Amino acid sequence: MNTPSPAPSTPHPGPLPEVSDWWTTAVSRIRPGEILLRGYPVEQLIGHVGFAESVWLMIRGELPTSAQARLLDAALVAGVDHGPQAPSIAAARMAATCGLGLNNVIASGVNLLGDVHGGAGQQCMEVLAELDQKAGASADGSGAGLDEAADRLVAAYRTERRHVPGFGHRFHPHDPRRDPLLELVAEAAANGAVPGRALAAGLALEHALAKGRSRPVPMNIDGATAIIYSELGFPPELGRGLFVLSRSVGILAHGWEEKSSGIRIKGPIPRRLLPSYHGPEPRDLPQQESA
Amino acid sequence: MNTPSPAPSTPHPGPLPEVSDWWTTAVSRIRPGEILLRGYPVEQLIGHVGFAESVWLMIRGELPTSAQARLLDAALVAGVDHGPQAPSIAAARMAATCGLGLNNVIASGVNLLGDVHGGAGQQCMEVLAELDQKAGASADGSGAGLDEAADRLVAAYRTERRHVPGFGHRFHPHDPRRDPLLELVAEAAANGAVPGRALAAGLALEHALAKGRSRPVPMNIDGATAIIYSELGFPPELGRGLFVLSRSVGILAHGWEEKSSGIRIKGPIPRRLLPSYHGPEPRDLPQQESA
Amino acid sequence: MNTPSPAPSTPHPGPLPEVSDWWTTAVSRIRPGEILLRGYPVEQLIGHVGFAESVWLMIRGELPTSAQARLLDAALVAGVDHGPQAPSIAAARMAATCGLGLNNVIASGVNLLGDVHGGAGQQCMEVLAELDQKAGASADGSGAGLDEAADRLVAAYRTERRHVPGFGHRFHPHDPRRDPLLELVAEAAANGAVPGRALAAGLALEHALAKGRSRPVPMNIDGATAIIYSELGFPPELGRGLFVLSRSVGILAHGWEEKSSGIRIKGPIPRRLLPSYHGPEPRDLPQQESA
Amino acid sequence: MNTPSPAPSTPHPGPLPEVSDWWTTAVSRIRPGEILLRGYPVEQLIGHVGFAESVWLMIRGELPTSAQARLLDAALVAGVDHGPQAPSIAAARMAATCGLGLNNVIASGVNLLGDVHGGAGQQCMEVLAELDQKAGASADGSGAGLDEAADRLVAAYRTERRHVPGFGHRFHPHDPRRDPLLELVAEAAANGAVPGRALAAGLALEHALAKGRSRPVPMNIDGATAIIYSELGFPPELGRGLFVLSRSVGILAHGWEEKSSGIRIKGPIPRRLLPSYHGPEPRDLPQQESA
């Protein structure tokens, strides 16, 4: 299985199994004249599956149903951009003025989508799974257990002065991406296309967070996409992976816009403004330090 | 226009135009409760445009026609993966075993898609534009000028012992992605959805490269996608940008597969094999170098 | 303080304090004709402090003593390389064949020095601090408390089947970098140049790990440099930061060697070897998936 | 030579030369219990060579003389930082607030040191070599040929409206790093430790650039370090590599300062300021675009 068929590129005649197996994969099989993606010949996929469907296929190993693809498409579209105030976008725009290829520009932006900047969706998926499990363990399925579990979870977060990931936004009183995403999930759950349990968990959390507050803490983009990716069966870590694919679009668009501007070596603030300084006053090097 | 409406996040009351203008953009407008992507409210886009359409909108500023979106989708799907032999994929897989978030894994892979590894499509787009211009300058539109110009271009490359980007493959005698991509372009050109001139230039080049050779130098994925991106009106540099979005899918799929394997600090070859060494034999540090 | 003196670059006349303060720093003050590094004019530093001393100054804010500089120099030299089997080095070498600038080559390698590949020193520093604290809380200063605390810590790790960071090596039965580094620390501690408590903690751990084993688990480079960086007063996270500076040297040397070789798009294994494949057998796209 | 001596890690008994040779190197030899750096056992280097000397050894293959090491040290120290206005520093500072390890923080900053932001030194080295070659070809060694060649080179750049790399600064009327660096080179040249030809070429260029101008175009840090690296025999591309090592120090110092601040997801400008927007006014999605 590991040795390709004879071809002009003179594939290896013998086994060397350990070297081939060191790089074994179930994602794709590349032989001379053949590209299989998860078993499907690439020439059959081209023109017949959409880009989001190919994302699902490559990660999950099977093609999505049309309902699954629609939800994935929606979540990917929802996250493409949030403006140059985001450090990932700003870093990519600055990179674009430093003489880099667009691949390096995109990598520079993507690199910043770490635990704090790009990880809230992943963390919210973990919370949704935890809440779902706790509610399932304590309830008779009526849903009352879910609300109680959500109340307890929120109370625990507040005691520890922690923020529940996926809720609240420093900028949007109401995140405009929440409603259309939740409507699509609700519709899919009503049709039996997804289980609906992550949606229920997310709404229970949102409800628990609003109790006793004049100004609620609404679900944000990370929470809404966490619900979708959870409903679709992705593990939490892939929540970040998918967000990276999505935000890469905005990073490219912004990087390209900045590159097209022709500015060189763009710093974070206009050139005639200077960072302030709070370090030591000017001082002379001690004589004894001379080499 | 630069100052947002009053909102809980207390936007700046005064102008500070230079700071706002330093980060001006036409890509998106983010205000409290509002996310406009190229003027469209994000809540209208979610569920109504596909991921590839959002790529087009964000980069180009307008929505694609359905024919344009179909070609873009096909080109993005065609490039998602070429296996772990590619250094970008291998680097991402190794990165996934080093304790990084998936954002850093993807960035590590994407960073490698430089001029040599990820730039052939971009370079081919430049060649197609050059050939189209030369043929247009010399011909009466009958197409004879195009073939002559292609012959001259190929001859010039051979004289300089250079490789025409987008043609030939070290691995595939016939790249399986070529035919389905060219069929889609030909169909779109026949329908008037795209001009068809980059397709003509690419085929002329392929024909010129085959002359007098027992084994032709067929168009590869870089050539076929270069034709599509050129037909769609993208500038060459965005050819690389779009390839990065496409290959990011495979990078994520492979990085995730490796991360799921649980292996730690994966090197390029199995651990009991060692790199060979051709440096100096063991030697002692000269005494006078001691500090 | 924030506004520079008048100069050809027309610095800002007024305050705009919030923008300047957003980028405030104590590391350096850059004004027209002036570069202060932690208060010292750069022209006084050039030629009078060594590179390792400048690392200390920039991070710590003050110049090191000569004993401190000597230990830092030794730790930085010790970590510069561990060969192309390391994924960070291999990724940089592959990157060097993909048409990138050396900055992108180095960044690609450095990016892989994550929690697992580059974080053991940092984690060991945390363990040393924890052990030092526990021993201090329980002992009368005779050192007996330290050994007991080390035994308990090792027992706890074994119960949890965890590996004590900084000890043991998958490759070296005895890491050749351990002894010269520990000798330098011991000498500095004997001279009163460093406290010696991290050294004591590290040796106690090594002793505790060896008990009842025919083959001991000796301290590795991460453990030995963790002792030095702890003795020098760096917080654990900077242990990784300093290791990155050190290993960047090897990454550059290897990347440059590979770039000079002229090979293009180097994969992880020779081209005629292929990764093995364990995914689905070739299959046709279901008809209903056609768009 | 490729097979290590028997050891606990069970090295490979047989040859597999092609796999070992794919990763061959002259930089280091790592075998169980052995780490050779350019032939020298690492345990002999630790404590006996400085960090800058190890940089030279790893890249060049031999140890530097003390005069060479002193120049390299000076150049590395000179470039460590130029403040948070530099996009590389600003990107690293923002990255530090996004939940990344310091390795990813440093990589994010280093990635931005591309042709435009980090390449001037490399480009200046190429100009110095070109000028030296032209002067050598045309002159009798008196130096008159050098001045004439410099005049011609400057005239050519002005005709093409290009900037001579390594000269002029958007910020410093006189770069404070120029004089101490040139003094060290002049001293080394006077002692015969370096040839002095790159210094002569650089001064000739500076002189040619000043002719007929009320305000001269003085040499900047890129020019001064280009002279040193050229005098030391580094190829131009390594000029960038060495600058990356140098600036990594400032990137780490700034990234750490920002990480220590505790701020999260730091954007380029304070949060209550917003980027301005010059894109399309708000508009509704066309009905026919609905899926």
Side-chain angles (χ1 to χ4, degrees):
Chain A
M1 188 70 69
N2 304 344
T3 51
S5 54
S9 57
T10 65
H12 190 68
L16 276 183
E18 65 174 1
V19 176
S20 290
D21 288 350
W22 186 248
W23 286 103
T24 188
T25 181
V27 174
S28 53
R29 188 173 87 180
I30 316 294
R31 293 178 179 178
E34 178 191 79
I35 298 173
L36 293 185
L37 302 179
R38 298 291 188 179
Y40 295 112
V42 69
E43 60 269 26
Q44 292 190 26
L45 296 169
I46 294 170
H48 291 100
V49 302
F51 189 39
E53 288 172 294
S54 79
V55 171
W56 182 293
L57 173 66
M58 293 295 285
I59 295 175
R60 301 288 287 268
E62 298 295 334
L63 289 163
T65 65
S66 61
Q68 290 169 331
R70 188 162 184 239
L71 282 178
L72 178 58
D73 240 330
L76 290 172
V77 168
V80 292
D81 188 23
H82 201 259
Q85 269 287 49
S88 51
I89 298 287
R93 292 189 73 121
M94 295 194 301
T97 70
C98 295
L100 306 177
L102 279 178
N103 59 307
N104 305 124
V105 168
I106 295 172
S108 298
V110 163
N111 222 27
L112 266 64
L113 299 172
D115 286 349
V116 172
H117 187 21
Q122 174 178 344
Q123 294 148 19
C124 184
M125 288 172 79
E126 288 161 4
V127 171
L128 294 176
E130 179 194 343
L131 179 56
D132 181 68
Q133 191 185 25
K134 284 185 177 165
S138 65
D140 57 358
S142 67
L146 185 59
D147 286 337
E148 286 174 27
D151 286 344
R152 279 194 294 273
L153 192 147
V154 167
Y157 269 79
R158 286 193 176 143
T159 300
E160 301 170 26
R161 296 190 166 278
R162 294 170 60 206
H163 175 74
V164 182
F167 294 86
H169 203 288
R170 67 172 174 83
F171 196 77
H172 299 298
H174 183 86
D175 192 314
R177 297 162 292 191
R178 175 199 176 279
D179 295 354
L181 290 173
L182 291 203
E183 281 165 24
L184 288 168
V185 189
E187 183 188 324
N191 294 340
V194 296
R197 288 169 61 176
L199 174 60
L203 291 174
L205 268 178
E206 191 177 45
H207 186 65
L209 281 161
K211 282 183 188 168
R213 292 176 61 97
S214 58
R215 202 173 129 219
V217 184
M219 194 182 298
N220 60 32
I221 177 72
D222 299 309
T225 53
I227 287 174
I228 290 186
Y229 295 142
S230 297
E231 291 287 351
L232 294 176
F234 287 97
E237 201 161 359
L238 281 174
R240 179 157 5 160
L242 292 167
F243 174 60
V244 167
L245 294 186
S246 170
R247 186 54 57 91
S248 292
V249 177
I251 289 172
L252 171 56
H254 280 280
W256 174 246
E257 184 186 61
E258 192 73 58
K259 197 161 198 176
S260 306
S261 77
I263 194 173
R264 290 163 62 92
I265 317 183
K266 176 184 184 131
I269 49 177
R271 291 194 175 159
R272 71 194 188 90
L273 302 180
L274 295 177
S276 74
Y277 173 72
H278 62 275
E281 286 300 295
R283 50 181 173 173
D284 288 323
L285 195 69
Q287 291 304 313
Q288 67 271 26
E289 294 292 337
S290 300
Chain B
M1 189 68 70
N2 302 344
T3 50
S5 54
S9 57
T10 64
H12 190 67
L16 279 180
E18 64 174 3
V19 176
S20 291
D21 287 350
W22 185 248
W23 286 102
T24 188
T25 180
V27 174
S28 53
R29 188 174 87 179
I30 318 293
R31 293 179 181 178
E34 178 192 79
I35 299 174
L36 294 185
L37 302 179
R38 296 295 188 178
Y40 294 113
V42 70
E43 60 268 27
Q44 293 191 24
L45 296 169
I46 294 170
H48 290 99
V49 302
F51 189 39
E53 288 171 294
S54 79
V55 171
W56 181 293
L57 172 66
M58 291 296 286
I59 296 174
R60 302 288 287 267
E62 298 296 333
L63 289 163
T65 65
S66 60
Q68 290 168 331
R70 190 163 181 237
L71 282 178
L72 178 59
D73 240 329
L76 289 172
V77 167
V80 290
D81 190 23
H82 202 259
Q85 270 287 53
S88 50
I89 298 287
R93 293 190 71 120
M94 295 195 300
T97 71
C98 294
L100 306 177
L102 279 176
N103 59 307
N104 305 123
V105 169
I106 295 172
S108 299
V110 163
N111 221 29
L112 267 65
L113 299 172
D115 286 349
V116 172
H117 187 20
Q122 173 179 346
Q123 293 147 20
C124 183
M125 289 172 78
E126 288 161 3
V127 172
L128 294 175
E130 179 194 343
L131 180 55
D132 180 69
Q133 190 185 26
K134 283 184 178 165
S138 66
D140 58 357
S142 67
L146 185 59
D147 286 337
E148 286 174 27
D151 286 344
R152 279 195 294 272
L153 191 147
V154 167
Y157 269 79
R158 287 193 175 141
T159 301
E160 301 169 27
R161 296 188 167 279
R162 292 169 62 204
H163 175 74
V164 182
F167 294 86
H169 202 286
R170 64 173 178 82
F171 196 78
H172 299 297
H174 183 87
D175 191 315
R177 297 162 290 192
R178 175 198 177 278
D179 295 354
L181 288 173
L182 292 202
E183 282 165 24
L184 288 168
V185 188
E187 184 188 323
N191 293 339
V194 296
R197 290 169 60 175
L199 175 61
L203 291 173
L205 268 179
E206 190 177 45
H207 186 65
L209 281 161
K211 281 183 189 169
R213 293 176 62 97
S214 58
R215 198 173 132 223
V217 185
M219 194 183 298
N220 58 32
I221 177 72
D222 298 310
T225 53
I227 288 174
I228 290 187
Y229 295 142
S230 296
E231 292 287 354
L232 294 176
F234 288 97
E237 200 160 0
L238 281 174
R240 179 159 359 160
L242 292 166
F243 174 61
V244 167
L245 294 186
S246 171
R247 186 53 57 91
S248 292
V249 177
I251 289 171
L252 171 57
H254 280 280
W256 174 245
E257 185 187 59
E258 193 73 59
K259 196 161 198 176
S260 306
S261 77
I263 195 174
R264 289 163 63 90
I265 317 183
K266 177 183 182 131
I269 51 178
R271 293 197 173 158
R272 71 195 188 87
L273 302 179
L274 295 177
S276 74
Y277 174 72
H278 61 276
E281 285 301 293
R283 51 180 172 171
D284 288 322
L285 195 68
Q287 291 304 313
Q288 67 272 26
E289 294 293 338
S290 301
Chain C
M1 188 70 69
N2 304 343
T3 50
S5 54
S9 56
T10 63
H12 190 68
L16 275 182
E18 65 174 2
V19 176
S20 291
D21 287 350
W22 187 247
W23 286 102
T24 188
T25 180
V27 174
S28 53
R29 188 174 87 180
I30 317 295
R31 294 180 180 177
E34 178 192 79
I35 299 175
L36 294 185
L37 303 179
R38 297 291 190 179
Y40 294 113
V42 70
E43 61 269 25
Q44 292 192 26
L45 296 170
I46 294 170
H48 291 99
V49 302
F51 189 38
E53 287 172 294
S54 79
V55 171
W56 180 293
L57 172 65
M58 292 296 285
I59 295 175
R60 302 289 287 267
E62 297 297 332
L63 288 163
T65 65
S66 61
Q68 290 169 331
R70 191 165 180 235
L71 283 178
L72 178 60
D73 239 329
L76 290 172
V77 168
V80 291
D81 189 23
H82 202 258
Q85 270 286 51
S88 51
I89 298 287
R93 292 190 73 120
M94 295 195 300
T97 71
C98 294
L100 306 177
L102 279 177
N103 59 307
N104 305 124
V105 169
I106 295 171
S108 299
V110 163
N111 221 27
L112 266 64
L113 298 172
D115 287 349
V116 173
H117 187 20
Q122 173 178 345
Q123 294 147 21
C124 183
M125 289 173 78
E126 288 160 4
V127 172
L128 294 175
E130 179 194 343
L131 180 55
D132 181 69
Q133 190 185 27
K134 284 185 177 165
S138 66
D140 58 357
S142 66
L146 185 59
D147 286 337
E148 286 174 26
D151 286 343
R152 278 196 294 272
L153 191 148
V154 167
Y157 269 79
R158 286 193 176 142
T159 301
E160 300 170 26
R161 295 187 168 280
R162 293 168 61 204
H163 175 75
V164 183
F167 294 86
H169 203 286
R170 65 173 178 81
F171 196 79
H172 299 298
H174 184 86
D175 192 314
R177 298 162 291 192
R178 175 198 176 280
D179 295 354
L181 289 173
L182 291 202
E183 281 164 24
L184 288 168
V185 189
E187 183 188 324
N191 294 338
V194 297
R197 289 169 61 176
L199 174 61
L203 291 174
L205 268 179
E206 191 176 44
H207 187 64
L209 281 162
K211 281 184 188 169
R213 292 176 61 97
S214 59
R215 199 174 130 222
V217 186
M219 195 183 298
N220 59 33
I221 176 72
D222 298 310
T225 53
I227 287 174
I228 291 186
Y229 295 142
S230 296
E231 291 288 352
L232 294 176
F234 288 97
E237 200 160 1
L238 281 174
R240 178 156 3 158
L242 292 166
F243 174 61
V244 167
L245 294 187
S246 170
R247 186 55 55 90
S248 292
V249 177
I251 288 173
L252 171 57
H254 280 280
W256 174 246
E257 185 186 60
E258 192 73 59
K259 196 161 198 175
S260 306
S261 77
I263 194 173
R264 290 162 62 91
I265 317 183
K266 178 183 184 130
I269 51 178
R271 292 197 174 159
R272 71 195 189 88
L273 303 179
L274 294 178
S276 75
Y277 174 72
H278 61 275
E281 286 300 294
R283 51 180 171 171
D284 288 321
L285 195 70
Q287 292 304 313
Q288 67 271 26
E289 294 293 335
S290 302
Chain D
M1 189 68 70
N2 304 343
T3 51
S5 55
S9 56
T10 65
H12 190 67
L16 276 182
E18 66 175 359
V19 176
S20 290
D21 287 350
W22 186 248
W23 286 103
T24 188
T25 179
V27 175
S28 53
R29 187 174 89 179
I30 318 292
R31 293 179 182 178
E34 179 192 78
I35 298 174
L36 294 184
L37 302 179
R38 297 293 189 179
Y40 295 113
V42 69
E43 60 270 25
Q44 292 191 25
L45 297 170
I46 293 170
H48 292 99
V49 302
F51 189 39
E53 287 172 294
S54 79
V55 171
W56 181 292
L57 173 66
M58 293 295 286
I59 295 174
R60 301 289 287 267
E62 299 296 334
L63 288 163
T65 65
S66 61
Q68 290 169 332
R70 190 164 181 237
L71 282 178
L72 178 59
D73 240 329
L76 289 172
V77 167
V80 292
D81 189 23
H82 202 260
Q85 270 286 51
S88 51
I89 298 286
R93 293 190 73 122
M94 294 195 301
T97 69
C98 294
L100 306 177
L102 279 177
N103 59 307
N104 305 124
V105 168
I106 295 172
S108 300
V110 163
N111 221 27
L112 266 64
L113 299 172
D115 285 349
V116 172
H117 186 23
Q122 172 178 345
Q123 294 146 20
C124 183
M125 288 172 78
E126 288 160 3
V127 171
L128 294 175
E130 179 193 343
L131 180 56
D132 180 68
Q133 191 185 26
K134 282 185 178 166
S138 66
D140 58 358
S142 66
L146 186 59
D147 287 336
E148 285 174 27
D151 286 344
R152 278 195 295 272
L153 192 147
V154 167
Y157 269 79
R158 288 196 174 140
T159 301
E160 300 170 28
R161 296 187 167 279
R162 293 169 61 205
H163 175 75
V164 182
F167 294 86
H169 203 287
R170 65 174 176 82
F171 196 78
H172 298 298
H174 183 85
D175 191 315
R177 297 162 291 192
R178 176 199 177 279
D179 294 355
L181 289 172
L182 291 203
E183 281 165 24
L184 288 167
V185 188
E187 183 188 324
N191 294 339
V194 297
R197 289 169 60 177
L199 174 61
L203 291 173
L205 268 178
E206 191 177 44
H207 186 65
L209 281 161
K211 281 183 189 168
R213 292 177 61 97
S214 58
R215 202 175 127 218
V217 185
M219 194 182 300
N220 59 33
I221 177 71
D222 298 310
T225 54
I227 286 174
I228 290 186
Y229 295 142
S230 297
E231 291 288 351
L232 294 175
F234 288 97
E237 199 161 359
L238 282 174
R240 181 163 356 165
L242 293 166
F243 174 61
V244 167
L245 295 186
S246 171
R247 186 54 56 92
S248 292
V249 177
I251 289 172
L252 170 57
H254 280 280
W256 174 246
E257 184 186 60
E258 191 73 59
K259 196 162 197 174
S260 306
S261 78
I263 194 173
R264 291 163 61 91
I265 317 182
K266 177 181 183 134
I269 49 178
R271 291 195 176 158
R272 69 194 189 91
L273 302 180
L274 294 177
S276 75
Y277 174 71
H278 62 275
E281 285 300 294
R283 50 181 173 172
D284 289 322
L285 194 69
Q287 292 303 314
Q288 66 272 26
E289 293 294 335
S290 304

